[in-house]
Amino acid sequence: MSHFSYQNGVLHADGAALPAIADQFGTPTYVYSKAALLENFGAYFDACKGRDALVCYAMKANSNLAILDLLGREGAGFDIVSGGELLRVIAAGGDPGKTIFSGIGKTVDEMTLALEKNILCFNVESIPELHRLNEVAAGMGKRAPVSLRVNPNVDAKTHPYIATGLKANKFGVAFDDALDTYRAAAALPNLDVVGIDCHIGSQLLDDAPLLEALDKLIELIDQLGSEGINLHHLDIGGGLGVDYGAEGDKPPVPVGTYLGRLFARIDAWRAEKHGGQPIKVIFEPGRSIVANTGVLLTRIEFLKPGVEKNFAIVDAAMNDLMRPTLYQAWMGVQPVAPRDGDKLIYDVVGPICESGDWLARERELAVEPGDLLAIMTAGAYGMTMASNYNTRGRAAEVIVDGEQVHLVRQRENPADLFALESLLK
Ligand SMILES: *Cc1c(COP(=O)(O)O)cnc(C)c1O
């Protein structure tokens, strides 16, 4: 169910009216629903019941500490892509022992920190990375648990910027090089080869490419087993899409359906080939956990009739929400208190000095200056991609719990933005 709905003609997040949130905390503000978050995570958790499985939330989608805390309490592990994200896991009380570290450019400092904190696994993406990790672990007198991120060369059929599993992408070890890379890893004294992973892309609406990737991983696991390299876990990555609500968009396969099909294949393989041996299954979902839990609440400053189009100029901008300009993403726009009257076609744009600063294009709206708009399905890759371009402080973030509204990140103060800068001596 949607946790953002009209009650008495006013858009609410669960039991909290958005105009009251705007009055109390100002705009632009990210508003998240706690119930939606728990529901989304619960869909994964329930589908994994009774199995050796771990859901590692890919926190680059939304890394607010309160969100990490809520998910950690539900049993989530974490998928991180930087040392900074590991520090967030720890600050939120999350378990480093349930944390996996992805990414192609891990520094010595990041590896050191992750080894100190005894993370669950490093998802390694190249031979030079294997050697660096082996050296860092040796220097600490430790062994690093590793998985290789294999690039299964399947077409995720998504936006080129978020397709990651093709040969032309910078990610992962090519499928044809995987066996040799595993042999190299197994020969290094301070590495423990424990798993295999992939992540083929984001905003996938169909699970066929994911199941195709699974088959390729299974093929490799069998080949490795015949060489005496036995893996303990299989990590299929994240990537499941969400319904952004654009006309004609098809809805994504439900989490339970996808996981059901995936587990069925794994069970069949284990019974037939893998000698019934257990294997832990890891997921790295980001978007499908948080996207529909949040909206970006913004106020119209001016309406500007143009020669060719009309503009609704709002107080949120591309620095707050980059998806439209970065991926030409379509985001839903809903008036918080819809009014009667003639609708006009507007581009919803921010005040930043870039023509790319738009949030939505060609939307039919009946609005007046001062009205509030909600940019829908903004809980993933919204705040985490925000910048301070134009010396704009980043938005506030609140989480709604029933009727209660909790501020979980203060609006940034412009003076803080240049506090680390200095004049020449
Ligand atoms: C971004 C990312 C994810 C999460 O992807 P979603 O599409 O948000 O589910 C998972 N794994 C890795 C390695 C990633 O980089």
Side-chain angles (χ1 to χ4, degrees):
M1 86 174 235
S2 174
H3 292 267
F4 297 88
S5 64
Y6 290 97
Q7 299 169 28
N8 301 321
V10 173
L11 192 58
H12 282 59
D14 292 318
L18 294 185
I21 292 177
D23 286 347
Q24 190 176 352
F25 300 101
T27 50
T29 290
Y30 276 99
V31 181
Y32 309 117
S33 154
K34 177 184 165 186
L37 181 73
L38 299 189
E39 193 175 298
N40 291 345
F41 183 75
Y44 277 93
F45 197 79
D46 292 348
C48 291
K49 264 215 181 95
R51 295 182 170 272
D52 187 9
L54 181 63
V55 181
C56 290
Y57 167 59
M59 59 185 279
K60 74 177 191 291
N62 187 327
S63 56
N64 185 285
L65 295 189
I67 297 223
L68 303 183
D69 173 46
L70 288 169
L71 292 174
R73 286 169 193 272
E74 296 295 304
F78 299 95
D79 175 36
I80 61 169
V81 289
S82 73
E85 286 193 344
L86 179 54
L87 295 175
R88 277 186 182 270
V89 169
I90 293 163
D95 183 357
K98 284 185 179 175
T99 299
I100 53 181
F101 194 169
S102 300
I104 60 172
K106 301 175 192 78
T107 66
V108 168
D109 285 351
E110 288 176 322
M111 289 176 176
T112 306
L113 174 69
L115 282 166
E116 270 168 13
K117 302 298 179 190
N118 296 314
I119 65 162
L120 178 61
C121 190
F122 291 83
N123 287 353
V124 173
E125 305 214 14
S126 67
I127 290 191
E129 187 188 338
L130 282 176
H131 286 285
R132 177 181 284 180
L133 183 58
N134 181 59
E135 259 175 52
V136 173
M140 297 170 73
K142 289 198 161 201
R143 293 169 68 88
V146 301
S147 159
L148 290 188
R149 176 168 177 178
V150 172
N151 185 340
N153 194 32
V154 299
D155 187 353
K157 301 195 174 61
T158 186
H159 189 284
Y161 283 14
I162 50 178
T164 52
L166 285 168
K167 278 184 184 161
N169 295 127
K170 68 178 179 179
F171 298 101
V173 174
F175 189 80
D176 295 338
D177 298 336
L179 280 179
D180 277 346
T181 311
Y182 266 104
R183 289 178 192 124
L188 290 170
N190 288 82
L191 301 184
D192 274 333
V193 177
V194 295
I196 189 165
D197 70 280
C198 72
H199 173 67
I200 61 170
S202 199
Q203 184 55 11
L204 313 187
L205 299 174
D206 185 7
D207 56 2
L210 291 159
L211 297 173
E212 198 185 321
L214 171 69
D215 288 343
K216 293 220 160 178
L217 295 193
I218 283 177
E219 188 186 321
L220 273 177
I221 295 172
D222 283 337
Q223 285 176 343
L224 289 166
S226 68
E227 296 192 17
I229 301 175
N230 292 306
L231 304 184
H232 310 297
H233 79 242
L234 182 172
D235 173 350
I236 193 70
L240 203 60
V242 299
D243 187 357
Y244 281 100
E247 216 176 81
D249 270 10
K250 70 171 197 176
V253 57
V255 171
T257 308
Y258 158 48
L259 265 61
R261 288 181 189 147
L262 183 121
F263 283 129
R265 285 207 191 191
I266 291 174
D267 289 348
W269 159 64
R270 274 178 50 197
E272 187 194 337
K273 273 213 180 142
H274 202 51
Q277 273 186 55
I279 191 153
K280 187 190 196 77
V281 181
I282 298 180
F283 300 94
E284 304 171 352
R287 188 189 312 269
S288 53
I289 302 278
V290 283
N292 70 1
T293 68
V295 303
L296 176 58
L297 183 59
T298 182
R299 196 180 289 282
I300 298 177
E301 295 287 342
F302 299 105
L303 294 179
K304 185 174 176 184
V307 181
E308 288 189 357
K309 6 172 93 172
N310 302 304
F311 295 100
I313 303 169
V314 297
D315 61 6
M318 63 185 275
N319 75 297
D320 299 301
L321 182 59
M322 219 160 97
R323 297 189 66 257
T325 194
L326 185 60
Y327 310 119
Q328 291 72 52
W330 190 99
M331 317 268 312
V333 176
Q334 293 192 12
V336 168
R339 37 171 96 242
D340 295 330
D342 289 345
K343 289 183 174 174
L344 292 177
I345 309 262
Y346 289 98
D347 278 9
V348 179
V349 301
I352 283 181
C353 305
E354 300 275 345
S355 294
D357 180 25
W358 57 277
L359 298 173
R361 285 181 161 157
E362 298 183 0
R363 303 305 167 83
E364 251 185 79
L365 297 166
V367 286
E368 298 288 344
D371 282 5
L372 292 167
L373 297 177
I375 314 293
M376 307 305 291
T377 325
Y381 305 106
M383 185 62 176
T384 46
M385 287 183 138
S387 79
N388 295 121
Y389 190 37
N390 280 207
T391 308
R392 288 169 52 88
R394 279 177 292 179
E397 291 177 290
V398 302
I399 295 186
V400 172
D401 182 4
E403 293 178 1
Q404 270 190 319
V405 183
H406 302 272
L407 180 66
V408 294
R409 193 177 203 273
Q410 292 177 35
R411 182 176 310 287
E412 281 177 348
N413 171 357
D416 294 339
L417 305 186
F418 48 81
L420 299 178
E421 298 170 27
S422 48
L423 308 180
L424 297 185
K425 293 243 157 50

